[in-house]
């Protein structure tokens, strides 16, 4: 019996592969027995044939199954002496069980599973393969395909007010890779990085892994505490000014100008992470910091992960002119970090207008989910909770009132009810999270599931509070 969880963050084909592999190694699937056909297994579990095919191909490549022409796949005869099976670590086993039992995943970075434009993307990918098949025998440009960088430049100029040329743009394999590059460029002469507290934990880890001194500074209602920045030894500031993560505040223009002045007068650098600028639901998008001072020491970072797909691993940097010589000196021998085919497909996707249409479509989709979450919170929590940072992005922060229950107890109670929460404390360093602070992401849940999940979450918290 195979049990697949459609709400798990583990891909379905990986779940299928792991369970079949385990059944073979445990002897539950006898040697030379025939596995269900791709079509039958897909129909049985309501998954695509590609998902089943990918799992079978992985098992076939590793020798767990073999195929017969026109007969399908069969279990390979494996002697116990031929197989070295290590028992899973206890922590890993618990994690697998928790993933399988997860009914509602409120992670702040989940996307709608049906939102990816599969048909159009497939066409762009096949066109890129057809047109560029002769180019697959050599490496591409280290900074990324020129056509893609040109489309990114046009998009940023029109939508974010970023002023740059394509030579300043570097295509990266996700935010983590982009921050790796920036850390390499700055670590010799700019060793102290101010980060937001609470703020994005991945950025802190990347900087620390490059032996940069990371200095957490408090976040106020208007974003990073600029007075604390002025008084600190920081020479680099990593900020999310258009939608602070996780609190959701927007840095007002007066503070933006002060931050730019801090960089300009002190010869300091700003890393502007514009991670979800497309997802603003009311009013016009907030202009970028970089557009206010195009010649300043501002590294602009953007991504396609929050709107298109995190699995593609495509992001980009806009480097200031002051860092270009160092970049070329350090990275001129590097190969591109993103598949040439995917870069060309994405360039075509943008050039043909699909990107802007997709942005409009998902903005409407996530606005409806955002509003559904607010309605559900009002219905089930009322005045017993406050919502922080609404109006943009894929999450809100909820402050539960009149509770002294610790965060780990809230998360554990939710998990016991089948609800997965991203702990608010993960975003904090020096700041101690207030009791009852919860991050709720809504992107990966349907509107109906949002309503059900909030109702169940509030019930589980009430039971926990009553038990105290």
């Amino acid at each position: 019996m195979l049990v697949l969880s459609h709400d798990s963050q583990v891909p379905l084909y990986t779940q299928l592969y792991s369970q079949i592999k385990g059944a073979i190694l445990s002897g539950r699937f006898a040697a030379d027995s025939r596995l269900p056909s791709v079509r039958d297994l897909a129909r049985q579990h309501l998954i695509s044939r590609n998902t089943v095919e990918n799992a079978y191909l992985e098992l076939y490549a590793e020798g767990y199954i073999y195929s017969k022409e026109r007969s399908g796949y069969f279990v390979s005869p494996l002697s116990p002496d031929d197989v070295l099976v290590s028992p899973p670590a206890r922590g890993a086993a618990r994690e697998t069980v928790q993933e399988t039992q997860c009914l509602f995943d409120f992670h702040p970075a989940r996307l709608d599973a049906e939102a990816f434009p599969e048909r159009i993307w497939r066409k762009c990918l096949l066109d890129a393969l057809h047109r560029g098949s002769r180019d697959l025998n050599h490496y591409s440009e280290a900074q990324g395909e020129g056509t893609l960088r040109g489309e990114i430049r046009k998009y940023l100029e029109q939508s974010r007010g970023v002023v740059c040329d394509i030579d300043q743009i570097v295509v990266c394999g996700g935010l983590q890779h982009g921050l790796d590059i920036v850390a390499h460029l700055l670590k010799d002469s700019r060793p102290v990085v101010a980060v937001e507290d609470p703020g994005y934990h991945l950025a802190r880890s990347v900087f620390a892994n490059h032996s940069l001194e990371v200095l957490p500074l408090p976040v106020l209602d208007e974003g990073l505490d600029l007075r604390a920045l002025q008084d600190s030894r920081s020479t680099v500031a990593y900020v999310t000014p258009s939608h602070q993560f996780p609190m959701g505040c927007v840095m007002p223009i007066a503070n933006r100008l002060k931050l730019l002045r801090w960089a300009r007068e002190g010869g300091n650098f700003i890393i502007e992470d514009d991670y979800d600028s497309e997802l603003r639901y009311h009013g016009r998008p907030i202009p970028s910091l970089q557009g206010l001072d195009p010649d300043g020491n501002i590294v602009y970072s953007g991504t396609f992960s929050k709107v298109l797909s995190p699995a593609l691993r495509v992001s980009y940097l806009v480097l200031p002119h002051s860092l270009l010589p160092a970049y070329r000196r350090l990275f001129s021998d590097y190969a591109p970090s993103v598949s040439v085919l995917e870069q060309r497909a994405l360039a075509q996707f943008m050039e043909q207008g699909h990107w802007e249409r997709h942005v409009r479509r998902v903005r409407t989709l996530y606005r409806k989910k955002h509003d559904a979450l607010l309605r559900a919170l009002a219905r089930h929590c009322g005045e017993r909770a406050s919502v922080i940072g609404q109006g943009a992005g894929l999450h809100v922060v909820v402050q539960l009132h009149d509770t002294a229950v610790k965060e780990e107890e809230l998360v554990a109670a939710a998990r016991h009810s089948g609800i997965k929460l991203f702990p608010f404390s993960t975003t904090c360093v020096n700041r101690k999270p207030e009791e009852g602070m919860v991050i709720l992401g809504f992107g990966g849940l349907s509107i109906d599931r949002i309503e059900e999940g909030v109702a169940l979450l509030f019930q589980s918290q009430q039971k926990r509070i009553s038990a105290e």
Side-chain angles (χ1 to χ4, degrees):
M1 180 65 180
L2 304 175
V3 180
L4 304 181
S5 172
H6 290 261
D7 292 322
S8 171
Q9 64 180 355
V10 179
L12 290 171
Y13 85 90
T14 302
Q15 296 181 47
L16 192 59
Y17 156 82
S18 299
Q19 293 188 39
I20 295 176
K21 174 183 172 181
I24 292 173
L25 293 176
S26 67
R28 289 190 290 117
F29 285 4
D32 298 312
S33 62
R34 184 177 183 274
L35 293 175
S37 70
V38 171
R39 178 177 297 178
D40 288 345
L41 197 57
R43 184 185 300 115
Q44 179 183 350
H45 291 281
L46 300 177
I47 56 180
S48 72
R49 296 173 62 180
N50 284 341
T51 297
V52 180
E53 188 68 40
N54 287 338
Y56 278 0
L57 287 175
E58 185 68 25
L59 291 164
Y60 177 83
E62 297 182 18
Y64 291 102
I65 63 177
Y66 64 93
S67 65
K68 292 182 180 179
E69 189 175 358
R70 298 184 180 179
S71 297
Y73 290 100
F74 296 80
V75 176
S76 297
L78 301 175
S79 167
D81 296 332
D82 296 333
V83 181
L84 179 61
V85 183
S86 300
R90 294 181 180 179
R94 284 197 300 269
E95 183 178 353
T96 302
V97 171
Q98 291 170 7
E99 288 287 353
T100 302
Q101 294 177 344
C102 177
L103 302 175
F104 304 92
D105 188 352
F106 283 100
H107 192 283
R110 294 286 178 266
L111 302 188
D112 190 297
E114 304 299 324
F116 184 75
E118 181 179 347
R119 180 184 60 80
I120 297 173
W121 181 256
R122 185 188 299 113
K123 182 179 183 302
C124 291
L125 196 60
L126 291 175
D127 286 349
L129 178 62
H130 176 72
R131 295 181 183 182
S133 59
R134 293 179 178 271
D135 298 331
L136 299 182
N137 63 342
H138 59 80
Y139 293 104
S140 180
E141 303 170 64
Q143 283 187 228
E145 287 287 293
T147 52
L148 176 57
R149 287 187 287 139
E151 290 299 322
I152 291 173
R153 188 203 66 78
K154 287 190 293 185
Y155 168 69
L156 291 178
E157 181 181 23
Q158 295 168 4
S159 69
R160 305 297 300 123
V162 171
V163 180
C164 67
D165 54 59
I166 66 170
D167 289 337
Q168 294 176 253
I169 297 175
V170 180
V171 177
C172 308
L175 173 65
Q176 176 181 316
H177 176 232
L179 293 179
D180 273 329
I181 291 175
V182 177
H184 270 295
L185 295 175
L186 298 177
K187 65 182 180 181
D188 289 337
S189 58
R190 306 287 166 181
V192 184
V193 183
V195 297
E196 299 166 328
D197 186 14
Y200 191 31
H201 58 291
L202 172 61
R204 297 196 304 263
S205 296
V206 172
F207 298 141
N209 287 342
H210 283 276
S211 300
L212 298 176
E213 182 180 348
V214 178
L215 188 62
L217 297 180
V219 171
L220 308 178
D221 291 342
E222 301 84 16
L224 184 70
D225 186 341
L226 297 183
R227 185 180 297 275
L229 179 64
Q230 290 279 4
D231 294 340
S232 74
R233 298 177 294 106
S234 305
T235 49
V236 179
Y238 170 82
V239 292
T240 52
S242 295
H243 185 228
Q244 199 279 330
F245 182 85
M247 301 306 289
C249 54
V250 176
M251 183 179 288
I253 185 62
N255 286 27
R256 289 171 179 247
L257 295 175
K258 290 178 183 177
L259 180 59
L260 293 173
R261 189 180 309 119
W262 169 84
R264 185 170 54 251
E265 294 178 354
N268 302 315
F269 279 82
I270 298 169
I271 304 172
E272 178 183 9
D273 186 352
D274 209 16
Y275 67 101
D276 66 353
S277 59
E278 293 86 4
L279 300 178
R280 186 166 180 81
Y281 308 126
H282 305 290
R284 294 175 57 84
I286 305 299
S288 67
L289 272 175
Q290 195 274 356
L292 295 173
D293 190 7
D295 295 323
N297 289 334
I298 304 169
V299 177
Y300 179 90
S301 173
T303 181
F304 292 95
S305 294
K306 293 296 183 288
V307 171
L308 187 57
S309 169
L312 291 178
R313 308 307 302 143
V314 183
S315 66
Y316 49 87
L317 296 173
V318 177
L319 297 177
H321 290 287
S322 58
L323 289 180
L324 290 179
Y327 173 83
R328 288 163 184 155
R329 183 178 67 253
L330 291 172
F331 297 101
S332 61
D333 294 331
Y334 278 43
S337 58
V338 181
S339 159
V340 172
L341 281 177
E342 290 185 345
Q343 289 190 61
R344 292 181 178 179
L346 182 54
Q348 199 165 230
F349 186 78
M350 298 180 76
E351 183 181 14
Q352 295 175 359
H354 300 305
W355 167 248
E356 291 187 359
R357 286 191 288 272
H358 178 71
V359 168
R360 290 195 296 269
R361 185 168 67 88
V362 297
R363 185 185 292 131
T364 299
L365 171 67
Y366 292 130
R367 184 181 67 242
K368 292 178 180 178
K369 293 188 178 191
H370 165 273
D371 294 347
L373 177 61
L374 296 185
R375 289 195 300 270
L377 289 169
R379 183 177 299 113
H380 297 287
C381 302
E383 296 182 355
R384 289 169 288 184
S386 300
V387 179
I388 304 169
Q390 64 193 62
L394 293 170
H395 77 278
V396 298
V397 174
V398 178
Q399 173 67 66
L400 301 175
H401 303 314
D402 301 325
T403 176
V405 179
K406 296 181 179 179
E407 178 187 71
E408 56 266 28
E409 296 172 337
L410 291 176
V411 173
R415 184 171 61 246
H416 184 73
S417 298
I419 299 171
K420 186 175 182 179
L421 296 177
F422 180 83
F424 184 87
S425 60
T426 303
T427 69
C428 300
V429 184
N430 295 329
R431 168 174 170 162
K432 182 180 179 181
E434 298 178 32
E435 303 293 357
M437 194 81 85
V438 179
I439 297 177
L440 290 184
F442 50 83
L445 296 170
S446 67
I447 290 178
D448 290 341
R449 300 281 286 170
I450 289 172
E451 172 71 28
E452 296 173 25
V454 169
L456 185 60
L457 174 64
F458 186 67
Q459 290 171 11
S460 69
Q461 305 311 329
Q462 282 296 102
K463 290 178 182 178
R464 183 64 188 176
I465 293 170
S466 299
E468 292 294 317

